[in-house]
Amino acid sequence: MNKPISNCLLCDRELQQSIGWKELLLKILPQTICSRCEQRFQRIDQQQEEGVVSLFHYNEAMKDYLHRYKFQHDILLAKVFNKILHEQLKNETRLIIPIPMHPENLRLRTFAHIDELLKAANIPFAHHLTKLSKEQQSLKTREVRLQTPQLFEVINPTAIKDKSLLVVDDIYTTGTTLNHAKKALLEAGAKTVDGFTLIHG
């Protein structure tokens, strides 16, 4: 059971929450941000890309969150979306595969941000991709991204053969990352590959 957080992870206001027997027995994930901070994030009402589910728009609040989480290395912020990610993925029957980081980038950031989001939400996952390039897609223009050579290689293709997969990433922008992952997994024998992201840019 995750230890309850007493202050909002984003603004440090005190959280008004009580953990009773029901929460303990059902292992309900604790609240981690206040309602004021929660309201700053803008949910997506309708799906925008075929085969990819995204939960939030890339507004100023989300931009600030990603900067703190990914680039200021605040691993505690992995818990900010624990409840909504858990609700969205708890009954998932497809094998969940997070987009991996290049080993060199992982060493610099100190943690794999997609893995930590899933761990905080108590969602099981497996790594079946390895990243071939250490270049960050977020630093490229749209035109350059669309011309990027294959970014991934499949680890142990027999483990994903004829299986339905769900690839998870933090943000969808041009779709290059997810498309590369999908292509690599399908060519390695996966039955179907869909995408899921926290944010749609």
Side-chain angles (χ1 to χ4, degrees):
M1 177 74 183
N2 288 338
K3 183 180 177 182
I5 291 168
S6 57
N7 291 73
C8 175
L9 290 176
L10 296 175
C11 71
D12 207 35
R13 286 187 187 85
E14 187 176 349
L15 293 175
Q16 302 299 319
Q17 66 175 326
S18 59
I19 304 296
W21 285 109
K22 180 183 176 184
E23 286 77 13
L24 289 170
L25 289 170
L26 296 177
K27 296 186 177 179
I28 294 173
L29 290 169
Q31 183 182 347
T32 60
I33 60 173
C34 66
S35 57
R36 186 168 156 180
C37 284
E38 193 172 8
Q39 288 167 10
R40 293 181 63 219
F41 297 111
Q42 185 183 0
R43 283 294 302 270
I44 292 174
D45 295 325
Q46 289 184 311
Q47 189 45 46
Q48 298 183 14
E49 304 293 337
E50 190 177 345
V52 181
V53 171
S54 300
L55 300 183
F56 292 94
H57 291 287
Y58 188 53
N59 63 2
E60 282 302 314
M62 191 59 79
K63 186 177 181 180
D64 179 61
Y65 165 76
L66 272 191
H67 178 74
R68 288 172 62 183
Y69 178 48
K70 291 172 67 172
F71 302 109
Q72 294 184 345
H73 307 170
D74 192 344
I75 194 171
L76 261 182
L77 297 188
K79 297 176 182 288
V80 166
F81 299 104
N82 62 348
K83 295 185 87 164
I84 189 168
L85 287 173
H86 182 76
E87 283 303 311
Q88 290 286 322
L89 299 172
K90 65 181 180 181
N91 297 319
E92 185 56 61
T93 56
R94 291 166 292 186
L95 179 64
I96 293 176
I97 301 177
I99 289 291
M101 295 178 67
H102 187 275
E104 193 169 318
N105 292 340
L106 178 58
R107 183 177 58 81
L108 293 172
R109 190 168 292 167
T110 71
F111 65 91
H113 57 287
I114 310 300
D115 291 19
E116 295 303 324
L117 287 172
L118 293 169
K119 286 178 189 175
N122 289 342
I123 300 299
F125 60 89
H127 277 287
H128 290 292
L129 291 170
T130 184
K131 187 91 177 279
L132 300 175
S133 169
K134 66 179 181 179
E135 291 182 336
Q136 294 184 44
Q137 293 298 302
S138 60
L139 302 178
K140 298 178 180 179
T141 64
R142 178 183 177 85
E143 289 72 23
V144 172
R145 286 188 204 192
L146 294 174
Q147 295 172 13
T148 303
Q150 178 56 269
L151 294 167
F152 303 105
E153 190 173 81
V154 176
I155 307 165
N156 189 14
T158 55
I160 56 105
K161 186 171 175 58
D162 297 324
K163 290 187 178 179
S164 295
L165 315 175
L166 183 66
V167 179
V168 177
D169 201 2
D170 55 348
I171 186 168
Y172 183 104
T173 46
T174 61
T176 300
T177 301
L178 286 177
N179 286 337
H180 279 232
K182 181 176 182 177
K183 186 173 187 289
L185 290 164
L186 287 173
E187 287 178 352
K191 182 180 178 182
T192 64
V193 184
D194 296 302
F196 178 93
T197 68
L198 180 66
I199 311 151
H200 193 292

